[in-house]
Each structure stands twice: as C-alpha cells, then as structure tokens.
Amino acid sequence: MSPPTVQPGLPPEAGPNEGPKTGAATGSMPDATFMAEPGVDPGTGPIAGPGTGPAGAAGIGAEPEPGPEPGFELRPCTTGQIFRAFLRLGLTAFGGPAIIAIIRDMAVTRNNWLSERTFREGLTLCQSLPGATAMQMGAYVGLKAGGLRGAVAAYVGLGLPAFFMMLGLAATYGATRSLESFQALFQGLQIVVMAILAVACAGFGRALLGTARHWLLAGLACALLAYGVNPFGIIVAFALAGMVVFCDSPPAALPQVGSAPAPSHVRPMLAYCAALLAGLGLLHLLDPRLFSLTELMLRINVVAFNGGFSSLPLMLHEIVDVRGWMDAKTFMDGIALGQVTPGPISITSTFLGYMLFGLPGAVAATLAMFSPSFVLLMLADPYHERLKASVRFQRASMGVNCCFVGLLGYTAGMFALATHWSPARVLLGAVAVAALALKVDMLVVVIAGGVAALLLF
C-alpha cells in the first residue's frame, strides 16, 4: 500500500488500491505505475497518436468506441472466469496503485480481454468519477469483457476479500480493544495513520495545487470545515467556484463527440437505483438510525472524487463531529485496520458500520459506500467523450480538487490534535513520515509501527 508520492510531471499515487483522480475530465493522467511511456504527455495525459484524437480519445473520423490495435485479438471469457480472476486479485490487492497495473497485466497482456487503448480510455473515465479507482477499473474491465454481469462479477470479486477481512478485524477489535497490549498497539497505529494522511495531503497538494489560486481555495476549504460548515455544501460550492475562478484556464484538447448509444446495461442500472431507493424507504421505516448511516455513506461516495482518501474527511465530520456516534480515536483505529487489509481505504466504512450497528451496519455501510460509484460508472460509460469534452466539468473538477486537499489537510490536523504526544510518539511519527516519503510499502510501515508501539508504549 504505497503512500501518495509525486514523480516529476505526474500526479500523485493515491490511496490504497486506487489511482490518482486528478483533474477529472481534463485528460487525467492514467496511473503512473505503467503510463510513463511513449505516446503520453506527462503534463496533459495521453497525446494523439496514429489513429487517435486528442487526449487519447477517438478523434475526427474515428469510431465512437475504441477498437483493438492491429494484430490484437480479443479473447472471450465467461462471468465465472472474470469473478475468479478478480477474486484472486482481491485476496492479494496490497500495494496501492500498483493494483491497477496488475489489472492491466491480467486483462490486457495475459488474457486479451480488452485492448490497451480501451483500458486507457477506461482509466481516464474512472479517474473522472467518484469512488476508488482500482475498484472501478475492475468493474470497467468486467463490463468490456463480459457486459453488465462481468462488471458485477469483477466488482464483487475484487471487493469481497477486503470486506470479510475488515469484518473479522472489526469483530476482533471490539472484543480486545480494552486489553492493555491492544491499547498500546493502536496508540502506535494512530501515529502511523496520521503520518499516512500527512504524506497523502502533501502529495496531493503538490500535484493538484499548481498556483496561488489553488492554494487559496484549499486553505479556504480547510477553514470552512474547521468552522463547522457542512462539507457536502463546501464541495458543491467549490465546484461552482471552480467554473468561475478558473474560467481563464485553457481547457484540455476537446475530442469530437456525437450522440452516444444507450447500451444494454443502462436500463438495469436505472432499475437498480429504483430498487435501492425503495430499499432505503423500507429501511427508514424499520430502523431509522441504520437508515441514517446508509444514507450518509451513499452521499459520501457520490462526492468522493480523487479516490478513497476524499471520503475520510466527510466520514470524520459526520460520524465524529456532527452525530457523535464515535470518538476520533476509534475512527483512527478503523483507518489503521483498513491499511492491513486489501482493498481501498474507503473499506473503513465496513469497520464504522460494524462498530455502530454490528453485522447489519457493516453490510449496509459497505453497500452504500461502493454502490453509487459503480452505478455512476455504468451510466457514464456511454457518454465518456461528452464528459471529457465539457469545459465546465473540467473547471468544476479543478475546484473540487482544491477542496479535497483542504478537507484532507483538516482531517490530518484534527487527528494530530486528538493525539497525546510524547517524545516516543513524535519519534515514531517522524520515522513513519520519512519511510512513507521514501516510498516504503505502506503495509510494512503499518506493521512496523504496530510492533514499535508494543515495544515503546
């Protein structure tokens, strides 16, 4: 699980198992783990090449859907094959954004389920939408290889291992957290979590905040959240502000777009949305508090651009500050446990749901945290070119990016204030920050921090 880092000209590596979501529709740079190669402009994303239009999209006279490269033959696959392949990935999905490169190797290089060009188009789309990029890329690969059933199989297969592992860790945590040794362990893990957030904030800041206007907006977002302004309102306001503040920013090269056909998976997704709303209504009647948690996670996922890290400030504000369902220490422990599981950092929602409402809460919170981004991907896929061509969307995304960095900085600061510092804790924090900055694997840092805590505290 690599901490967010920055390479020259490239966006930061995002949180566990998710690529950077920088710039949304501005021709976002696909994941740095495999995209530093010819045909890619480090500053603006994929550049035009033979047979392609601007930003790697279909150009003038090209077909709306990218086809396979010359000599590339797509290999058919079954839904079961897709599920088994992504279940294996989900069991070993440690390593941060590297999981996207592993998905590419499995789907493009070894199995020929889709072409390189189609994969890159999908990565750009997933970076434009809220949610964990690696989870969405799994769904995208499944969609192109096996239709809607393939998308569901890939999404579920990739996420199930993290869910069950977090469920077990949450149950163990609830039964043992009062023990003295476990208290010392989680004191150390809290320091490591704060280091992860600090390094993430610095990495995203360097990549997303290029001018004084960007930094000013990020600082304003942090101040607004500190004064108790609703974070959902802040995100909406900054999206609108981005269209005004960055009106003089040159847009990315705009691809030619036409009317997109409505594929067969759109109607089932609309039916699923209707069923989800009906289920929410029934849940509201049966258990209003569980409904409140589910509705909250749905709202968080819908606005969680830039990957799973962006969900943390929203969950902290709503669950700890507003509702008082949990203290900051327990929340930090949940983030720490999320770092020793495969899957995105937003799997913390499983921990929160379990600690609040047991198994029903864990299931409801997880479904609510991951359903909206999946639905949005399925609905947005036919209109990918239109999304990239929208200048308003590009500039609104710049405002949301600034907002995200400010909210993440506020979260790191809140955790720092909630920590009881001592010389040993300062030393552990400094070592953790240095290790993450040197790109030591995040899982190694978390485990080493826990061992050090048992020895020092």
Side-chain angles (χ1 to χ4, degrees):
M1 295 187 180
S2 309
T5 57
V6 176
Q7 301 179 33
L10 294 176
E13 295 178 357
N17 300 346
E18 52 204 68
K21 296 198 169 200
T22 58
T26 58
S28 305
M29 178 65 185
D31 196 272
T33 55
F34 64 89
M35 290 302 295
E37 53 188 73
V40 173
D41 180 351
T44 61
I47 60 175
T52 62
I60 297 176
E63 296 295 328
E65 289 293 328
E69 290 84 4
F72 184 91
E73 183 177 353
L74 294 177
R75 184 183 303 166
C77 59
T78 65
T79 302
Q81 288 174 321
I82 294 173
F83 177 78
R84 288 190 294 272
F86 279 95
L87 182 64
R88 285 194 295 269
L89 285 181
L91 289 168
T92 57
F94 299 96
I99 187 62
I100 298 179
I102 296 173
I103 292 174
R104 169 185 173 273
D105 179 68
M106 181 270 293
V108 178
T109 306
R110 290 189 284 114
N111 291 323
N112 287 10
W113 286 348
L114 69 167
S115 67
E116 177 74 16
R117 181 182 173 191
T118 302
F119 186 89
R120 295 187 184 190
E121 286 288 311
L123 185 53
T124 304
L125 173 62
C126 292
Q127 290 173 327
S128 305
L129 299 173
T133 311
M135 290 287 292
Q136 290 170 301
M137 275 308 300
Y140 181 85
V141 169
L143 176 67
K144 297 304 178 181
L148 180 58
R149 290 183 180 180
V152 174
Y155 204 65
V156 173
L158 193 56
L160 271 183
F163 169 74
F164 283 115
M165 191 177 295
M166 177 57 93
L167 198 61
L169 290 172
T172 303
Y173 174 85
T176 60
R177 61 175 171 171
S178 60
L179 300 178
E180 185 175 346
S181 58
F182 276 86
Q183 290 180 356
L185 171 65
F186 280 99
Q187 286 176 14
L189 292 180
Q190 288 166 14
I191 302 295
V192 175
V193 166
M194 194 169 52
I196 291 171
L197 292 178
V199 173
C201 186
F204 281 119
R206 286 193 299 270
L208 299 179
L209 309 182
T211 67
R213 287 182 296 179
H214 291 84
W215 284 99
L216 182 61
L217 286 177
L220 180 59
C222 180
L224 289 173
L225 188 59
Y227 276 101
V229 178
N230 187 290
F232 297 99
I234 296 175
I235 292 172
V236 173
F238 274 63
L240 297 174
M243 290 188 282
V244 177
V245 175
F246 301 112
C247 63
D248 59 341
S249 298
L254 304 181
Q256 183 184 25
V257 296
S259 59
S264 59
H265 60 264
V266 170
R267 287 185 178 178
M269 284 294 99
L270 295 177
Y272 175 77
C273 291
L276 184 62
L277 291 175
L280 284 173
L282 181 61
L283 185 60
H284 179 67
L285 295 176
L286 298 176
D287 192 334
R289 292 193 70 207
L290 184 56
F291 165 81
S292 181
L293 173 68
T294 305
E295 181 267 340
L296 171 65
M297 293 299 177
L298 285 170
R299 285 193 289 124
I300 288 175
N301 186 245
V302 167
V303 297
F305 290 90
N306 294 292
F309 271 99
S310 59
S311 66
L312 297 181
L314 304 176
M315 288 192 285
L316 172 69
H317 176 80
E318 294 292 329
I319 291 177
V320 177
D321 298 338
V322 176
R323 291 167 171 78
W325 285 347
M326 183 180 292
D327 58 37
K329 175 185 177 300
T330 304
F331 187 89
M332 293 173 69
D333 291 344
I335 299 175
L337 290 175
Q339 302 309 305
V340 297
T341 65
I345 197 170
S346 45
I347 199 66
T348 303
S349 59
T350 304
F351 172 87
L352 299 177
Y354 183 87
M355 296 304 296
L356 293 173
F357 301 105
L359 181 59
V363 173
T366 306
L367 287 175
M369 178 56 69
F370 291 96
S371 289
S373 53
F374 177 82
V375 172
L376 287 173
L377 175 61
M378 295 300 105
L379 296 179
D381 174 56
Y383 308 101
H384 181 200
E385 297 302 323
R386 288 187 177 275
L387 190 65
K388 288 197 303 182
S390 172
V391 176
R392 291 189 180 91
F393 186 84
Q394 293 178 25
R395 290 167 180 167
S397 297
M398 296 171 71
V400 171
N401 288 340
C402 296
C403 176
F404 158 64
V405 176
L407 298 184
L408 189 61
Y410 167 82
T411 303
M414 285 295 296
F415 286 166
L417 294 176
T419 301
H420 301 288
W421 293 99
S422 68
R425 289 182 172 86
V426 171
L427 176 62
L428 177 60
V431 172
V433 168
L436 292 170
L438 293 173
K439 302 181 184 179
V440 176
D441 187 89
M442 190 178 297
L443 181 61
V444 173
V445 176
V446 171
I447 293 175
V451 173
L454 292 175
L455 297 175
L456 295 174
F457 307 151

